[in-house]
Amino acid sequence: MVNEDVLLVQQSWQQVEPIADTAAQLFYGRLFELAPDVRPLFGDMEQQGRKLMQMISTVVRGLDRLERIVPAVQQLGARHAGYGVQPEHYDVVGAALLWTLEQGLGEAFTPSVRTAWTAAYGVLASTMQDA
């Protein structure tokens, strides 16, 4: 990822953090709409939403130091594989994430921000899958 993309992701995430609970609800609502078959992979959705937002926050803060977060991202990928997450689920999650960001950011979700988030998610998803 280029530095400009990292900065765009970090700045846009700062705008999402104040609405983290709503963003989590939007994300999972969209995910289950796109892939209803993944719903059984999840338990308590309130707790899951908090974990998701915390994980995204941690990763976003660490994007400018990828080498530091790669081990944690790999561990997350290995855990997800153990839960039954399939490679095709990553595309659906990416689509749900981008949709959620678009809803939460509104006009601030510019084409440049979309491109930056797509790049960031691509790096993270491939790291998780490689684990």
Side-chain angles (χ1 to χ4, degrees):
M1 289 186 63
V2 297
N3 289 339
E4 181 179 311
D5 286 346
V6 170
L7 188 59
L8 284 172
V9 168
Q10 290 174 334
Q11 289 174 339
S12 61
W13 186 248
Q14 288 175 353
Q15 297 172 357
V16 175
E17 283 183 310
I19 60 162
D21 291 341
T22 300
Q25 291 171 359
L26 287 169
F27 171 81
Y28 284 111
R30 183 66 172 170
L31 178 64
F32 299 150
E33 181 180 309
L34 294 173
D37 59 306
V38 302
R39 179 62 183 95
L41 298 175
F42 298 91
D44 178 342
M45 293 312 302
E46 188 174 322
Q47 180 181 9
Q48 185 66 40
R50 281 194 301 273
K51 286 181 181 180
L52 173 71
M53 293 296 116
Q54 289 171 349
M55 185 270 304
I56 294 174
S57 292
T58 299
V59 168
V60 165
R61 281 192 293 275
L63 282 177
D64 52 354
R65 300 175 311 277
L66 273 176
E67 69 282 354
R68 291 185 183 180
I69 64 170
V70 163
V73 173
Q74 289 172 328
Q75 289 174 354
L76 184 64
R79 281 195 312 271
H80 278 77
Y83 300 147
V85 173
Q86 300 296 311
E88 62 271 15
H89 293 145
Y90 284 91
D91 290 338
V92 178
V93 167
L97 175 63
L98 291 174
W99 180 86
T100 300
L101 291 166
E102 184 175 14
Q103 303 310 301
L105 293 170
E107 290 182 11
F109 193 66
T110 64
S112 296
V113 171
R114 175 184 286 278
T115 298
W117 273 98
T118 300
Y121 181 74
V123 168
L124 297 171
S126 64
T127 302
M128 289 176 70
Q129 290 180 66
D130 289 346

